[in-house]
Amino acid sequence: MNPTTAAPDQQHEIVADFDAFFTEQAETKTGATVRLYGRDYVLPVSLPLLVTLQMERLKDSSDPDDIRRLLASLFGPDALDTWADHGMTDRQLGVVLVWSTANCRNPGSISMAEAARLYDERQSASEGKAPNRAERRTSAKNRGRKRPSSGAR
């Protein structure tokens, strides 16, 4: 009799206990430390899945609640408000995020100056980004039309 047709009392339940497995596999090392506005933040040793998902989903968001949720996963729930109270700029926030995400798994993998350069490059690339769908449609419609003439020759 195969397990799918066996009587309930005869079936053997297989449990894959990832809680126990991940506990056994857990790294004991601590992540890099970020000092910002007089406070130390210890990064996790790997990027939390929530951060990875939120960064992709929210990359173009400017909603403070979206940013707050993203930062809470790495720095705690009060990070955005604390940093904003100290006058942090959007560029400074971007540099901190680039540095932190790169250095979670591999502390020392990039410097603060490299993070700033990468952030600036990404910003420059996004400013020259391709037109969105509506812009492409408008442009395509206008390509086939003649420009109105003034009538003068």
Side-chain angles (χ1 to χ4, degrees):
M1 184 181 286
N2 74 38
T4 59
T5 60
D9 60 333
Q10 294 177 346
Q11 288 183 351
H12 294 202
E13 188 174 316
I14 297 173
V15 176
D17 188 350
F18 277 96
D19 291 337
F21 177 73
F22 289 148
T23 299
E24 291 170 8
Q25 299 289 313
E27 299 178 32
T28 56
K29 68 181 184 178
T30 58
T33 300
V34 174
R35 179 167 295 141
L36 194 52
Y37 303 115
R39 181 171 171 192
D40 288 350
Y41 300 89
V42 179
L43 296 174
V45 293
S46 62
L47 204 55
L49 179 60
L50 183 60
V51 171
T52 305
L53 295 172
Q54 287 177 329
M55 285 182 73
E56 184 58 33
R57 197 181 97 229
L58 306 175
K59 65 183 173 189
D60 296 323
S61 176
S62 59
D63 182 346
D65 288 332
D66 290 341
I67 309 297
R68 187 174 287 106
R69 280 190 291 276
L70 173 68
L71 292 176
S73 301
L74 284 176
F75 301 103
D78 64 335
L80 180 62
D81 295 325
T82 300
W83 299 350
D85 288 346
H86 282 91
M88 178 180 263
T89 66
D90 61 336
R91 181 179 182 274
Q92 290 170 332
L93 175 62
V95 172
V96 168
L97 285 175
V98 169
W99 186 92
S100 298
T101 55
N103 283 287
C104 268
R105 182 173 299 261
N106 190 11
S109 62
I110 68 169
S111 68
M112 288 181 275
E114 289 170 306
R117 182 185 53 76
L118 287 171
Y119 176 80
D120 291 341
E121 286 175 2
R122 290 177 188 170
Q123 286 302 106
S124 293
S126 71
E127 289 170 1
K129 64 183 174 185
N132 66 30
R133 187 175 178 181
E135 291 168 335
R136 287 192 307 268
R137 284 183 176 174
T138 301
S139 176
K141 286 178 185 176
N142 290 336
R143 269 188 239 137
R145 294 185 182 165
K146 284 184 159 183
R147 293 188 179 204
S149 130
S150 66
R153 291 201 176 204

